[in-house]
Structures are given as C-alpha cells and as structure tokens.
Amino acid sequence: MRVLIADDERLARMELRRLLAAFPDVEVVGEASHVDEACKQVEALAPDLLLLDIQMPGGTGFDVLARLEEPPDVVFTTAFDEHAVRAFQVNALDYLLKPIESPRLAEALERVRQRGRAAHTPPSSTQAPGTPLERVFVRDGERCWLVQLSQVPLIASEGNYARLVLEGHQPLLLRSLSYLEERLDPARFFRASRQHLINLDFVESLEPGPGGTLVVRLRGGREIEMSRRQSQRFRERMTL
C-alpha cells in the first residue's frame, strides 16, 4: 500500500512515518506540507492512500480533494473532531484524531485493505494512458462528495462547465463537456449533441425526431434530442 502523508506539521509527519513503519505492506511514498504541494504530490505519485490533515496552509484537506480529478482513498488526520461528518460525506475511509494511536491507525489501514483497492488495482503509475475516468469529486452548495460516473445518466454543458444530472442533485463540475467526453468510457457515454452526453446504460427508448434526428428517452423520463449528425452516428453504432 503506497501512502502519501499531507500535514503541515513536521513532527506530525514524522510520527505518522514512525507508526506506519510497523506495517510491512505500507510504503510512504512522499510528504506534503500545504495544499498545493499535496495536490502535486498526489498527481505525481498516485498513492493508494492519502493521510490528509484538514487545516493546512493554502486551504483545507477538502480543498485538496476538490482539486483532484481522481482522489485516492483518504483517511483524515486532524486534531479537531468538528469536521468528521463532512469528512465522511466526501467518502473518507476513516477520521483519525491526533494524537494518533497505533490501534486506530491499524483499523484505518484495514479499511483500505478491505476495500480491496490496493490489493486488486494496479498502481496508477503503471495504468495505461487514457484509462477512462471513473469518478469525480464534486461540490453542490455546502455538500461535497465523490460521484461514480457510471451512475450519472446525463451530463449537460453549461458554458465552460458541465452539470451532472442525477436524481435529486445536479452538481456543477468545473470541466467542459469536451474535456469529459475525452476522459469518459466511450462504450458507456455518447455525445448526443453539443449540449449533452448521455449514459447508454440509462437509455430506455428511442423515437424518430424531426429532420432525421433521434429522441432518446432516459430512465426517469427525461428526453434528449440528438443532433442530426450524432443521430446518424448513433444509428451506425447501433446498426439501426
């Protein structure tokens, strides 16, 4: 298990290294002392687990997650307990209060192992370029969480940004629709028009539209009209 420690206190980082040395399957691959450095280290080192302090120079641990395209598993390490609810809202695996005790750290590491990510996923550094994006970190008002893109029926363009259309939530992602189209699994997502990307797993029915277009009905009742060119591509793809 490859671990990155992000904490602005040098003594805290040293203590975590000391505690982690007791676990033979753990390798500390790097350290970061502020938000910018944490983001850069995660992108460069692709750790399996990020031990993340909340209060750091340049922002918070939540800001680190908001800036990452594909956050690793996260365990928060902090001296304050008031952020615990929010931490679990962003899918943190655990929340360790300082001073961290070895048994609690062992529990947190076991959560990571149980998820099976470290054991069954090849290290990100060896993944082939172009691996489809599977999840994104989003904010919707005060709420922030990880979204599995396979569960998103529709993505709509809003200028330079994209809105994920989910049941009950429509968080805005600070990425363009074209950017997402390049990163998403083409076997799952199809560009219906300049405004919409649809998840083919959610297509319930198709009907002819005006001028040779197709109108897609998604589960839940939402209808999307494909452009004429994309309708033709869709027919060719589906051999309609």
Side-chain angles (χ1 to χ4, degrees), residues 147-198:
V147 174
Q148 294 291 335
L149 290 166
S150 62
Q151 303 303 311
V152 178
L154 175 67
I155 306 175
S157 174
E158 289 199 8
N160 293 326
Y161 303 137
R163 189 168 294 282
L164 307 184
V165 182
L166 293 155
E167 185 175 353
H169 303 281
Q170 296 191 7
L172 191 66
L173 194 63
L174 303 184
R175 299 288 182 181
S176 70
L177 204 64
S178 296
Y179 173 89
L180 288 176
E181 182 182 13
E182 294 176 356
R183 300 294 307 277
L184 294 174
D185 183 357
R188 171 169 283 140
F189 285 92
F190 182 79
R191 184 72 176 258
S193 67
R194 294 182 62 183
Q195 298 298 315
H196 297 109
L197 272 167
I198 59 172

Side-chain angles (χ1 to χ4, degrees), residues 87-147:
F88 287 108
Q89 285 178 340
V90 299
N91 282 359
L93 287 180
D94 211 331
Y95 189 94
L96 302 179
L97 284 174
K98 298 176 183 175
I100 296 171
E101 298 178 348
S102 184
R104 280 292 291 120
L105 180 60
E107 289 179 14
L109 295 176
E110 183 58 26
R111 289 176 188 270
V112 179
R113 296 187 189 97
Q114 287 179 356
R115 177 176 280 198
R117 183 171 180 169
H120 299 102
T121 303
S124 297
S125 59
T126 63
Q127 288 181 351
T131 300
L133 190 63
E134 295 182 353
R135 58 183 183 173
V136 291
F137 183 86
V138 298
R139 290 189 179 199
D140 189 10
E142 292 299 317
R143 187 183 177 197
C144 44
W145 73 104
L146 283 169
V147 174

Side-chain angles (χ1 to χ4, degrees), residues 16-123:
L16 275 173
R17 276 186 175 272
R18 186 187 70 80
L19 294 171
L20 290 168
F23 302 92
D25 65 332
V26 171
E27 176 190 5
V28 178
V29 296
E31 297 182 4
S33 60
H34 54 78
V35 167
D36 286 344
E37 187 178 29
C39 294
K40 291 177 181 177
Q41 291 279 51
V42 169
E43 292 173 353
L45 300 172
D48 301 308
L49 173 64
L50 175 60
L51 294 177
L52 181 61
D53 192 11
I54 290 183
Q55 301 295 345
M56 290 191 294
T60 69
F62 299 109
D63 295 319
V64 172
L65 296 181
R67 288 170 52 177
L68 296 173
E69 292 182 7
E70 297 181 73
D73 287 335
V74 173
V75 169
F76 282 104
T77 59
T78 177
F80 307 98
D81 60 3
E82 63 264 33
H83 303 293
V85 173
R86 189 179 177 191
F88 287 108
Q89 285 178 340
V90 299
N91 282 359
L93 287 180
D94 211 331
Y95 189 94
L96 302 179
L97 284 174
K98 298 176 183 175
I100 296 171
E101 298 178 348
S102 184
R104 280 292 291 120
L105 180 60
E107 289 179 14
L109 295 176
E110 183 58 26
R111 289 176 188 270
V112 179
R113 296 187 189 97
Q114 287 179 356
R115 177 176 280 198
R117 183 171 180 169
H120 299 102
T121 303

